[in-house]
Amino acid sequence: MENLKKEPTNNEISKKKGISMLAGVTVLVIVLVGLFYWQATKDQIYVEKATISAPEIALSATEGGMLEGIFVKEGDIVPANTTVAQIGNETVKTATPGLVIQTKNNIGENFSPGEPVVTIINPTDLRVVAQIEEDKGLSDIVVGQQAVFTVDAFGSKKFYGTVDAVAPTSRDSGVVFSISDKREVKNFDVKIRFDEKQYAQLKNGMSAKAWVYKN
């Protein structure tokens, strides 16, 4: 006896239509999300590797001698002309105000002339220093552009700043000889200024990520 093909019921047809519609809607949503992301990021330059930092100021004695005392500790805010250490007969003082980030507490140890005993930074010099590869949008970054950045310690919280400087030379300016045909990609520093008083929670050495808005 010949087998008869069973015709699909209305319920089965409806289910198939529903699945097809759901698949179509899913694809449309994915496309729309992709377009939205592209639109939102096409005018931005993303930098994965960045650090919050300021130039370090090393304080030392000009003549050298035995460390007699340290009068500050890490984390102290010190004004200009503050005595921070005594080496031999010489007092070591700050020339500018700053934040103490490192001290040598080896009392009784001899320090050579110019050997740092205390290191400070000026909090107003804190910047987001973003390391961007030369072929990842460096040519589109100029001083004055707006930027947004996140800091690993604060998750997805956004902070805002302005491009303050673009390094004129790469981080590694040494000549590298290689037998490989692949050219070495250089990294350049892009410094982003922010309001250190508004963002007092940001500390020297914190890791960050940055997005620079193209003009």
Side-chain angles (χ1 to χ4, degrees):
M1 182 176 179
E2 185 178 351
N3 292 330
L4 298 176
K5 186 177 180 180
K6 185 179 178 181
E7 295 294 331
T9 64
N10 291 336
N11 189 41
E12 289 174 334
I13 294 174
S14 297
K15 284 184 178 180
K16 288 182 179 180
K17 288 183 177 179
I19 293 173
S20 297
M21 290 180 62
L22 180 60
V25 170
T26 301
V27 171
L28 179 60
V29 169
I30 292 174
V31 171
L32 289 176
V33 169
L35 287 173
F36 177 79
Y37 178 79
W38 175 81
Q39 183 66 32
T41 60
K42 70 182 181 69
D43 294 328
Q44 298 176 358
I45 301 167
Y46 173 60
V47 186
E48 170 74 22
K49 188 176 181 181
T51 305
I52 296 175
S53 64
E56 296 184 356
I57 304 170
L59 305 178
S60 61
T62 57
E63 297 181 0
M66 181 181 293
L67 178 61
E68 304 289 346
I70 288 285
F71 310 122
V72 293
K73 62 182 183 299
E74 294 179 10
D76 284 351
I77 299 290
V78 292
N81 202 37
T82 298
T83 299
V84 297
Q86 179 78 32
I87 296 181
N89 296 321
E90 184 178 353
T91 57
V92 180
K93 298 183 178 183
T94 57
T96 60
L99 168 69
V100 178
I101 62 170
Q102 186 178 36
T103 62
K104 301 286 183 66
N105 292 301
N106 307 22
I107 304 300
E109 181 177 327
N110 284 317
F111 279 74
S112 302
E115 184 179 356
V117 64
V118 173
T119 304
I120 67 173
I121 62 170
N122 188 337
T124 61
D125 291 334
L126 281 172
R127 301 287 186 273
V128 176
V129 182
Q131 300 179 32
I132 182 171
E133 294 181 1
E134 58 185 316
D135 58 351
K136 297 296 177 61
L138 175 65
S139 61
D140 293 322
I141 298 179
V142 296
V143 172
Q145 287 173 322
Q146 299 302 304
V148 60
F149 60 96
T150 60
V151 179
D152 292 0
F154 299 103
S156 60
K157 178 179 173 59
K158 292 182 178 180
F159 302 89
Y160 299 89
T162 305
V163 174
D164 190 52
V166 180
T169 187
S170 65
R171 293 178 65 87
D172 179 14
S173 58
V175 178
V176 178
F177 295 95
S178 173
I179 60 175
S180 173
D181 291 333
K182 185 176 180 180
R183 294 172 63 85
E184 181 183 5
V185 177
K186 299 291 187 177
N187 289 337
F188 288 75
D189 285 347
V190 174
K191 295 184 179 181
I192 300 170
R193 176 194 293 271
F194 59 89
D195 188 338
E196 80 284 350
K197 293 181 180 178
Q198 180 181 357
Y199 300 143
Q201 69 269 47
L202 301 183
K203 307 298 182 184
N204 184 63
M206 286 183 169
S207 298
K209 299 175 184 179
W211 292 258
V212 177
Y213 291 93
K214 299 178 184 178
N215 286 337

